[in-house]
């Protein structure tokens, strides 16, 4: 597994931007550079929802419809880090954002097909 640490969250106003980072702090039996990575978010009282994912070599990137055109996922395998650039933030983007490593086959939007979850970083967007 990977031990992941998210950072970059904060309190911003609607329309602002944030860049989240997810960095490997330790690894056991898994290589970040060969793992597809995903971002999810969870608002209070709601399920953990898929936001974006990126293949190990950055060739494939998928986004939830709610963030398409506003968010961009990227990675730097040399730095063992995956990023989520969030632009034009909306109040409804408020949530705890998590990164995780994909271990499944095809269900890239299914949180059950991920492991190595980080502790999350809070993003709060005010109107």
């Amino acid at each position: 597994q990977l031990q992941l640490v998210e950072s970059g969250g904060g309190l911003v106003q609607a329309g602002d931007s944030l860049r989240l980072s997810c960095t490997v702090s330790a690894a056991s039996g898994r290589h970040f550079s060969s793992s597809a990575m995903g971002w999810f978010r969870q608002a209070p009282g709601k399920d953990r929802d898929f936001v974006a994912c990126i293949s190990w070599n950055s060739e494939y990137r998928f986004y939830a419809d709610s963030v398409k055109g506003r968010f961009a996922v990227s990675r730097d395998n040399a730095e063992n880090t995956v990023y989520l650039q969030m632009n034009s933030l909306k109040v409804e983007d408020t949530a705890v954002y998590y990164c995780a490593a994909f271990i499944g086959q095809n269900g890239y939007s299914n949180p059950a097909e991920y492991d190595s979850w980080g502790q999350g970083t809070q993003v709060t967007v005010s109107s």
Side-chain angles (χ1 to χ4, degrees), residues 27-122:
S28 175
R30 174 84 61 81
H31 295 286
F32 173 84
S33 60
S34 61
S35 298
M37 299 295 296
W39 285 97
F40 289 76
R41 65 187 182 186
Q42 188 167 20
K46 296 190 176 181
D47 293 335
R48 189 166 295 189
D49 291 332
F50 170 74
V51 175
C53 68
I54 185 168
S55 61
W56 68 273
N57 60 355
S58 302
E59 181 176 1
Y60 300 102
R61 310 180 199 211
F62 300 101
Y63 298 93
D65 288 344
S66 59
V67 307
K68 277 181 184 175
R70 299 189 298 122
F71 290 12
V73 60
S74 62
R75 66 189 297 160
D76 184 338
N77 285 344
E79 297 293 328
N80 287 337
T81 300
V82 60
Y83 302 99
L84 184 67
Q85 178 66 44
M86 306 187 296
N87 300 325
S88 302
L89 282 162
K90 303 177 180 179
V91 172
E92 51 264 42
D93 294 319
T94 296
V96 178
Y97 284 71
Y98 300 89
C99 65
F102 183 66
I103 59 170
Q105 297 295 321
N106 298 309
Y108 62 83
S109 63
N110 183 356
E113 299 208 32
Y114 289 79
D115 72 357
S116 303
W117 293 88
Q119 84 291 345
T121 185
Q122 176 70 48

Side-chain angles (χ1 to χ4, degrees), residues 19-30:
R19 189 177 81 155
L20 305 184
S21 299
C22 170
T23 301
V24 177
S25 62
S28 175
R30 174 84 61 81

